């Protein structure tokens, strides 16, 4: 699934804003010159226009013009960066990735997650279906470091469930009964890119993940 929303919509808006500001500045500058010319033509010879004031106003106009040009350049750079991010994300399609997440695909009677704890713990693992109902639960002792949990698609009563996406939730406690932090990872094939997000998100196992959650490209 590839969403076709333009990635540069925000940049286009900024470009339009800068263009409008530049047009307004040009109009104001022309009006300023007309007023200045009229003032010079009708000034009191005994009390001429202060040249310092004239110079300060010209400097102010110049500073605003430079700021608008800087904003226009930054907008162009942002647009180029967004396009580069989209191109990079599209290259992930069809590749298998490991990423931070809790949703895995049950296929051919198997779904696999990785998880890690920081100390010896007892982990309670719950697997839920797409409706949020817990379909399988188990408890196991784990050591610090990376662990792999593979589920055969069966409920605790032995019923075999259909293929699809399932979510894991792990709660762990150490030997003193204190809660232990658990990080979970999942693996799947990138089936699409959602370019309506900034930066673009990858679609894996029917879920949307930002590029920052990708830990490894498997193939």
């Amino acid at each position: 699934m590839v969403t076709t929303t333009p990635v540069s919509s925000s940049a286009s808006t900024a470009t339009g804003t800068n263009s409008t500001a530049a047009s307004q500045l040009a109009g104001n500058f022309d009006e300023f010159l007309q007023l200045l010319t009229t003032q010079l033509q009708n000034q009191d010879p005994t009390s001429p226009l202060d040249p310092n004031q004239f110079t300060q106003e010209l400097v102010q106009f110049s500073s605003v013009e430079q700021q608008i040009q800087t904003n226009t350049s930054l907008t162009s750079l942002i647009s180029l960066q967004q396009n580069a991010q989209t191109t990079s994300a599209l290259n992930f399609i069809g590749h298998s990735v490991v990423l931070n997440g809790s949703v895995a695909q049950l296929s051919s009677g198997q779904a696999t997650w990785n998880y890690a704890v920081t100390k010896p713990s007892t982990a309670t693992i719950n697997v839920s279906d797409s409706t949020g109902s817990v379909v399988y639960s188990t408890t196991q002792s784990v050591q610090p470091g990376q662990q792999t949990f593979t589920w055969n698609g069966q409920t605790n009563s032995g019923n075999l469930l259909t293929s699809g996406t399932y979510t894991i939730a792990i709660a762990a406690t150490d030997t003193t009964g204190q809660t232990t932090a658990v990080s979970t990872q999942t693996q799947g094939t990138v089936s699409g890119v959602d370019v309506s997000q900034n930066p673009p998100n990858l679609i894996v196992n029917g879920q949307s993940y930002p590029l920052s959650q990708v830990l490894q490209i498997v193939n």
Side-chain angles (χ1 to χ4, degrees), residues 97-147:
V97 295
V98 176
L99 41 76
N100 289 318
S102 57
V103 178
Q105 189 77 23
L106 175 64
S107 178
S108 301
Q110 180 174 298
T112 302
W113 294 265
N114 295 327
Y115 69 99
V117 295
T118 57
K119 59 182 71 174
S121 306
T122 299
T124 299
I125 302 173
N126 292 318
V127 178
S128 302
D129 60 18
S130 58
T131 68
S133 300
V134 176
V135 295
Y136 179 78
S137 182
T138 187
T139 300
Q140 59 187 36
S141 297
V142 293
Q143 296 300 313
Q146 191 79 10
Q147 315 289 327

Side-chain angles (χ1 to χ4, degrees), residues 36-176:
L36 178 62
T37 301
T38 302
Q39 186 175 4
L40 289 173
Q41 291 173 345
N42 297 279
Q43 66 179 333
D44 183 354
T46 62
S47 181
L49 179 67
D50 183 359
N52 290 330
Q53 179 183 357
F54 171 63
T55 302
Q56 288 175 0
E57 294 196 20
L58 286 178
V59 169
Q60 289 176 354
F61 270 101
S62 178
S63 297
V64 173
E65 183 180 18
Q66 289 178 0
Q67 184 62 52
I68 292 175
Q69 290 177 346
T70 299
N71 291 343
T72 301
S73 298
L74 289 175
T75 299
S76 298
L77 289 175
I78 291 172
S79 179
L80 290 173
Q81 182 184 30
Q82 290 175 340
N83 290 333
Q85 288 176 333
T86 300
T87 301
S88 176
L90 291 174
N91 289 332
F92 280 88
I93 294 179
H95 289 274
S96 182
V97 295
V98 176
L99 41 76
N100 289 318
S102 57
V103 178
Q105 189 77 23
L106 175 64
S107 178
S108 301
Q110 180 174 298
T112 302
W113 294 265
N114 295 327
Y115 69 99
V117 295
T118 57
K119 59 182 71 174
S121 306
T122 299
T124 299
I125 302 173
N126 292 318
V127 178
S128 302
D129 60 18
S130 58
T131 68
S133 300
V134 176
V135 295
Y136 179 78
S137 182
T138 187
T139 300
Q140 59 187 36
S141 297
V142 293
Q143 296 300 313
Q146 191 79 10
Q147 315 289 327
T148 298
F149 175 73
T150 301
W151 176 53
N152 61 6
Q154 295 183 7
T155 65
N156 288 101
S157 59
N159 294 327
L160 182 62
L161 300 179
T162 58
S163 299
T165 56
Y166 291 84
T167 304
I168 195 173
I170 304 176
T173 56
D174 61 19
T175 55
T176 66

Side-chain angles (χ1 to χ4, degrees), residues 188-208:
T189 300
V190 179
S191 59
V193 176
D194 182 1
V195 298
S196 67
Q197 303 299 315
N198 184 27
N201 284 358
L202 304 180
I203 307 302
V204 181
N205 296 329
Q207 304 295 310
S208 182

Side-chain angles (χ1 to χ4, degrees), residues 98-102 183-186 209 212-215:
V98 176
L99 41 76
N100 289 318
S102 57
S183 60
T184 59
Q185 297 87 41
T186 185
Y209 297 93
S212 59
Q213 289 189 228
V214 175
L215 302 177

